[in-house]
Amino acid sequence: MAKVHVTTSVNNQPQEFLCEPQESLLNCLRDEINLTGTKEGCATGDCGACSVLVDGRLVCSCLMLGVEAEGKEVTTIEGIAEPDGLHVIQQKFLEHAALQCGICTPGFIVAAKALLDKHKDPDEETIRYWLAGNLCRCTGYDKIIRAVQDAAKELAA
């Protein structure tokens, strides 16, 4: 099968790559663009480890085809940090020890960013709802929820 040429933007940088028509965006990000921060957890869209933003919308990159990124803006965990350091969400994950093995962490941070971009002052129920598509097998969820709440407070200040 012939590979498809894809022109897109990833983390505000123009990107071009070749991929098989059935290849996932996750594999394209990791194997073609060498952005390995986005993790594969389940390959079925059940765990959220591969979460990215596509045109500002939260998606599981394991369920999106690479060819569907044509002309779109993709933001991965590598694109979340600020020019002068970590994004507030990333910093709060560290401060609250909301990570252990790290497989789920990039997806949680991207999902939290999507949430806080849309809801400036979410309550705990809203945070839990937005993060429900992300699974963690190490930390439990309380530290993650507290990190997102603290990030929301700091971003609102």
Side-chain angles (χ1 to χ4, degrees), residues 96-112:
H96 288 268
L99 60 140
Q100 284 186 14
C101 81
I103 296 297
C104 70
T105 306
F108 270 108
I109 289 172
V110 171

Side-chain angles (χ1 to χ4, degrees), residues 72-90:
K72 301 206 179 326
E73 173 60 42
V74 178
T75 304
T76 69
I77 186 65
E78 290 92 345
I80 300 293
E82 304 289 339
D84 58 342
L86 295 177
H87 188 281
V88 166
I89 297 167
Q90 293 169 310

Side-chain angles (χ1 to χ4, degrees), residues 80-82 85-95 116 147-148 150-155:
I80 300 293
E82 304 289 339
L86 295 177
H87 188 281
V88 166
I89 297 167
Q90 293 169 310
Q91 185 61 45
K92 295 305 178 183
F93 265 67
L94 289 173
E95 289 174 15
L116 297 179
V148 175
D150 199 9
K153 285 179 194 167
E154 188 163 320
L155 288 169

